[in-house]
Amino acid sequence: MNALSLKDYRRITVKIGSALLVDRNTGLKRGWLASLADDIGALAANGAEILVVSSGAIALGRTMLGLGRRALKLEESQAAAAVGQIALAGAWAEALGRHGLTSGQILLTLGDTEERRRYLNARATISTLLKMKAVPVINENDTVATSEIRYGDNDRLAARVATMMGADLLVLLSDIDGLYTAPPALDPDAEFIPVVERITPDIEAMAGAAASELSRGGMRTKLDAGKIATGAGTAMIITAGTRQSPLMAIERGERATLFRPSAHPVKGYKTWIAGQLEPAGRLTVDDGAVKALLSGKSLLPAGVRQVSGNFARGDTVAILAPDSREIARGLVAYDAADAVRIAGLKTTEIEAVLGYEARSAMIHRDDLVVNGNGFEI
């Protein structure tokens, strides 16, 4: 890994997990944060633009409120986040300020990156901060997010931010130093993997569960993040954040796994489609439709075998092969009720069933991303 250098990248998104920033007994790990800020300052001085996706608001708030380790009710988590977000933002401002850097806080909910207009608004705000040489510090807005409208983990949020902003590298700082053939805590024979060319089902099978009770995401969410990032042309690194100056540790050649970006990344409008975290529904298609999609054609109702979900026209849906593997995502041209009615029908039969002249494609190829975020077919 000695050949791996962060200085080769111009726009870098760095994700920090809660367990790295917060000690459950003493609160914020200020010394560690200062060392990370040193790293960010050095990269910024070298001309890089840095975006930070920082967990820790709830974890920090619960220590400040004395809530202990017990499971929190939703309203308690939201209250903890309200307290923690202020303290966390202040800590980032202070740490980065020592290097002459200004920080700006961005709090997002799932809808801010899933709904097109809000996605563009968020991108414009963050772009402006970068133009002003500020460091955006981004977190999920835990004070208002509920299970129905939350990302669920900051790994995927970081990937969504990285692709939204056209970052050429995403660094996930974790409590593990990279990808292994099996969870190393469970399997002493697990082998370290320094480079991943493509996230295949075999690679995904190596993922384990979360290693820390303060962390929401395990290796599986990191691989989900990797599919989003690499599919849009963003490289990804997983490395240990537990050491001091964790970014410069990469420069020193310490252990890290590099996930190479796709050689044929999706761009522009389709980046937004491919990066959708939670599809509103699913369409299972036949083998003929799979071949048609791979050849660049639209998805016609005739190839649809099953419809699930309560989606509306224009929502993002996942497309599944007969063996249930996800092969694509796209913006559906029909509401769920009408999609059910016309599934399996030829184009010439649609008008008679619906009572009006309708679109010939269930999903037009212009609104479709096949294999766009690392899905293996």
Side-chain angles (χ1 to χ4, degrees):
M1 292 301 294
N2 288 324
L4 180 59
S5 174
L6 300 187
K7 295 176 182 177
D8 296 333
Y9 301 94
R10 294 295 86 198
R11 180 172 286 183
I12 303 171
T13 300
V14 181
K15 181 263 176 179
I16 301 103
S18 295
L20 301 177
L21 265 176
V22 181
D23 183 278
R24 64 172 62 92
N25 297 313
T26 60
L28 190 67
K29 300 178 182 178
R30 294 188 178 276
W32 181 88
L33 177 57
S35 77
L36 177 61
D38 291 343
D39 292 353
I40 293 172
L43 291 169
N46 195 50
E49 295 177 325
I50 310 297
L51 302 94
V52 173
V53 176
S54 176
S55 303
I58 293 177
L60 181 56
R62 71 186 293 158
T63 64
M64 297 172 69
L65 293 171
L67 296 176
R69 302 185 190 181
R70 64 179 174 83
L72 300 181
K73 299 176 182 177
L74 173 61
E75 59 270 22
E76 291 176 325
S77 292
Q78 292 174 327
V83 172
Q85 280 170 356
I86 291 178
L88 193 60
W92 275 109
E94 179 182 352
L96 293 172
R98 294 194 186 101
H99 299 275
L101 296 173
T102 300
S103 62
Q105 185 184 53
I106 303 288
L107 298 176
L108 299 175
T109 61
L110 186 63
D112 293 325
T113 54
E114 303 298 89
E115 295 178 21
R116 182 67 177 168
R117 182 182 298 177
R118 291 160 67 182
Y119 171 94
L120 294 174
N121 287 340
R123 188 175 70 179
T125 299
I126 298 172
S127 294
T128 302
L129 284 171
L130 292 173
K131 288 177 183 177
M132 294 177 173
K133 307 300 182 183
V135 177
V137 178
I138 301 152
N139 191 14
E140 181 156 21
N141 193 353
D142 290 309
T143 58
V144 298
T146 61
S147 59
E148 294 82 8
I149 60 166
R150 70 175 303 111
Y151 298 91
D153 62 87
N154 272 1
D155 294 321
R156 294 187 306 159
L157 168 58
R160 198 70 166 112
V161 168
T163 58
M164 179 171 70
M165 301 311 304
D168 46 7
L169 178 66
L170 167 63
V171 179
L172 300 182
L173 296 179
S174 181
D175 42 17
I176 190 169
D177 55 9
L179 179 67
Y180 289 76
T181 54
L186 302 177
D187 185 352
D189 297 322
E191 297 180 7
F192 174 73
I193 302 175
V195 179
V196 174
E197 299 292 341
R198 189 162 184 257
I199 300 175
T200 65
D202 287 341
I203 293 293
E204 291 186 84
M206 300 173 186
S212 165
E213 69 182 66
L214 285 182
S215 299
R216 291 196 192 113
M219 187 56 69
R220 183 162 299 281
T221 68
K222 290 171 177 54
L223 294 184
D224 287 342
K227 288 192 289 186
I228 295 169
T230 58
T234 299
M236 186 177 83
I237 291 172
I238 298 175
T239 193
T242 48
R243 49 202 168 203
Q244 296 286 303
S245 297
L247 298 180
M248 289 304 104
I250 298 172
E251 293 289 325
R252 295 192 298 269
E254 295 190 31
R255 184 168 283 184
T257 296
L258 171 66
F259 294 76
R260 297 196 190 280
S262 170
H264 304 286
V266 294
K267 294 295 183 183
Y269 171 61
K270 291 197 174 185
T271 300
W272 171 67
I273 298 173
Q276 294 270 303
L277 301 185
E278 301 298 338
R282 289 170 173 78
L283 305 177
T284 301
V285 301
D286 59 24
D287 289 326
V290 172
K291 293 178 182 177
L293 293 174
L294 290 176
S295 67
K297 296 180 180 178
S298 300
L299 176 62
L300 302 181
V304 179
R305 289 292 170 259
Q306 184 177 349
V307 177
S308 62
N310 183 24
F311 52 84
R313 175 183 171 183
D315 284 348
T316 300
V317 298
I319 301 172
L320 309 182
D323 61 2
S324 298
R325 285 183 293 175
E326 184 175 331
I327 62 167
R329 291 192 181 187
L331 306 183
V332 68
Y334 291 92
D335 294 342
D338 285 345
V340 170
R341 295 172 67 191
I342 65 173
L345 298 184
K346 296 179 180 179
T347 301
T348 54
E349 300 171 326
I350 296 175
E351 184 175 356
V353 172
L354 297 183
Y356 60 87
E357 185 176 356
R359 295 171 182 258
S360 59
M362 185 78 80
I363 301 177
H364 193 275
R365 64 184 180 184
D366 290 345
D367 297 325
L368 186 67
V369 180
V370 177
N371 227 13
N373 48 351
F375 301 124
E376 179 75 0
I377 298 174

